[in-house]
Amino acid sequence: MSHEQEKKKDYGIDPVESDDNIDRFKSLDLDAQKLAEMGYTQDMKRNYSVLSVLGVGFSLTNSWFGISAALITGINSGGPILIVYGIILIALLSTCVGISLSELASAYPNAGGQYFWANELAPKRYANFASYLTGWFAWAGSIFTSASVSIAVGTAGVGCWQLSHPDFAFKPKHIFAGYQVANAFAFLFNCYGKILPAMAHTTLYTSLVSFLVILIVVPAKAPSHQDAHFVFANFVNETGWKQNGIEAFIVGLINTNWAFACLDCATHMAEEVARPEKMIPIAIMGTVAIGFVTSWFWSLAMFFSIQDLQNLFDTPTGVPILALFYQALANKGGAIALESLIMATGIGCLIASHTWQSRLCWSFARDNGLPFSRFLSKIHPTLDVPVRAHFVSCVIVAILGCLYLGSYTAFNR
């Protein structure tokens, strides 16, 4: 094998000569040069396509899943009107955020994302401090996101069991067990770099197919439907603050805001995709666009299909969307089947979240932003992932889950 062929093989390209391989190699070589200009070496192979980066980005943000998982917050603090109009408001704000992220990612395609940009763009006097603070907040945010998705998946699983076994009274330890199982499952998937691009495709399609199935089945099977006033003008306030208070509305926006969170995820894949200055912005804006369309139409379909709103607050399953499915289908097996689609989507979201948090930890350690940076900044030579950074991040997520055993309120803070 020639030196040129060996070099191509190092980049994960079949050394057989072809126009496609030659063009891709030139792109990767140029990307590596740009990375070198920023002071970094090409440590991981660029195996991701724009679709797989979009898969990671959307699987993590997963707006319609976010609405369903945190539904209790929205319907308690505003009801349908809060979510229907809140999605529009947050989508507009997310578009602005996405445009800003896209511009920065195009100019500085670096896995460090925000903390790298802070170091480059802040006044030199404050650059190191701004970068350090941003890096810690970003990584902490990714850890807490993984914890919140893990608890959503665990709660959904326990809720399905309770629906099928009405005499079962679940306790925090049951949800804690589901949390840890979900976290461990997603950890294993992220240990093999070669399967992650294909997994990103799978989780993207799983989310979209699940969305379509639920969107069609629930309104079609619901025995009756709410009128337009209930969906577009009904304000519900179960927060304890004064009726129709702005405080309740702001609290309720947590639901819609969570549904558009983590838009920076794709930026941290900048060193694993060819032509990141073009592909990352496509993935970011695609995530916002798909997120708005899916979450808004999904919310309309679900709210028109509600039979008893109070039952969603009081459901013994602890999962309002599962209670809504049961109301619409009047069949436990069918409701659990639909909730299983949401759980599968949630697992995909968690896998993407683990990918995100491991890249943040690795890149931040590469710049000596974390304790034991030399240990955390290593890429596994055969798995092609930052295994150490991934493992440490997942251990922290597992430890955070212990808070749930002590205090539900503390965990949700």
Side-chain angles (χ1 to χ4, degrees):
M1 185 180 292
S2 68
H3 173 72
E4 191 68 15
Q5 287 177 320
E6 289 179 354
K7 189 176 180 183
K8 291 182 181 182
K9 187 175 181 181
D10 288 341
Y11 281 105
I13 301 174
D14 188 346
V16 176
E17 294 292 341
S18 71
D19 291 340
D20 289 341
N21 278 344
I22 291 173
D23 290 343
R24 188 180 174 204
F25 175 71
K26 288 180 178 178
S27 172
L28 291 174
D29 197 44
L30 182 60
D31 293 335
Q33 290 178 23
K34 291 180 180 178
L35 195 58
E37 291 173 1
M38 289 184 271
Y40 300 92
T41 58
Q42 183 69 54
D43 294 323
M44 287 191 284
K45 297 177 182 178
R46 295 183 183 265
N47 291 328
Y48 282 77
S49 65
V50 64
L51 184 61
S52 52
V53 173
L54 174 61
V56 174
F58 178 72
S59 294
L60 176 56
T61 300
N62 234 323
S63 299
W64 75 269
F65 166 76
I67 294 293
S68 70
L71 188 63
I72 189 64
T73 303
I75 60 176
N76 263 324
S77 307
I81 187 175
L82 178 281
I83 295 177
V84 169
Y85 296 113
I87 287 174
I88 297 174
L89 172 62
I90 300 299
L92 290 173
L93 295 175
S94 295
T95 299
C96 297
V97 172
I99 291 172
S100 298
L101 289 173
S102 297
E103 180 67 23
L104 291 167
S106 180
Y108 302 101
N110 186 285
Q114 307 98 306
Y115 83 78
F116 178 81
W117 303 334
N119 188 68
E120 293 295 310
L121 301 175
K124 290 186 177 181
R125 182 179 178 182
Y126 306 106
N128 287 342
F129 176 74
S131 177
Y132 185 72
L133 197 62
T134 303
W136 269 103
F137 278 138
W139 185 44
S142 69
I143 296 292
F144 295 139
T145 298
S146 292
S148 67
V149 178
S150 295
I151 205 69
V153 174
T155 302
V158 173
C160 288
W161 181 262
Q162 199 285 328
L163 182 63
S164 61
H165 299 77
D167 295 332
F168 173 70
F170 64 83
K171 298 178 180 179
K173 65 180 181 181
H174 299 122
I175 295 177
F176 171 78
Y179 173 102
Q180 299 297 356
V181 169
N183 184 47
F185 186 78
F187 165 78
L188 293 176
F189 266 102
N190 271 275
C191 287
Y192 302 96
K194 291 182 179 179
I195 70 170
L196 286 178
M199 180 56 62
H201 291 176
T202 301
T203 55
L204 173 62
Y205 296 138
T206 297
S207 176
L208 295 179
V209 170
S210 299
F211 158 75
L212 288 173
V213 170
I214 296 172
L215 185 74
I216 294 170
V217 170
V218 173
K221 294 295 291 183
S224 63
H225 298 92
Q226 298 288 346
D227 57 22
H229 181 274
F230 175 83
V231 176
F232 294 104
N234 183 36
F235 187 86
V236 178
N237 184 1
E238 297 287 336
T239 63
W241 283 311
K242 63 181 181 180
Q243 188 65 25
N244 298 327
I246 189 64
E247 301 95 339
F249 185 84
I250 293 174
V251 170
L253 285 177
I254 293 174
N255 187 188
T256 52
N257 185 52
W258 194 61
F260 286 91
C262 315
L263 289 179
D264 65 295
C265 173
T267 67
H268 304 293
M269 309 302 294
E271 296 175 33
E272 297 176 68
V273 61
R275 293 185 295 166
E277 68 279 356
K278 179 179 180 181
M279 302 308 175
I280 299 301
I282 292 174
I284 292 173
M285 299 312 298
T287 294
V288 176
I290 299 173
F292 170 69
V293 172
T294 55
S295 62
W296 199 70
F297 284 102
W298 188 88
S299 298
L300 290 182
M302 295 306 104
F303 291 141
F304 273 113
S305 303
I306 289 176
Q307 306 300 303
D308 180 0
L309 182 60
Q310 188 60 42
N311 175 254
L312 302 189
F313 300 138
D314 303 331
T315 175
T317 66
V319 185
I321 192 61
L322 177 59
L324 193 158
F325 292 159
Y326 185 44
Q327 288 180 10
L329 276 64
N331 182 283
K332 292 182 179 180
I336 291 172
L338 293 184
E339 185 65 22
S340 296
L341 293 178
I342 289 186
M343 289 177 63
T345 301
I347 288 293
C349 178
L350 186 56
I351 291 172
S353 187
H354 279 211
T355 304
W356 174 46
Q357 71 182 16
S358 65
R359 271 51 175 184
L360 264 167
C361 180
W362 161 72
S363 60
F364 199 33
R366 183 178 60 176
D367 287 314
N368 297 312
L370 296 172
F372 310 107
S373 287
R374 182 174 294 183
F375 173 81
L376 294 172
S377 61
K378 300 296 183 182
I379 301 293
H380 195 282
T382 56
L383 298 178
D384 195 35
V385 291
V387 174
R388 296 175 181 178
H390 176 44
F391 176 77
V392 169
S393 297
C394 289
V395 168
I396 296 174
V397 173
I399 293 172
L400 281 176
C402 297
L403 287 173
Y404 195 84
L405 292 174
S407 170
Y408 173 83
T409 302
F411 182 88
N412 283 279
R413 290 293 180 184

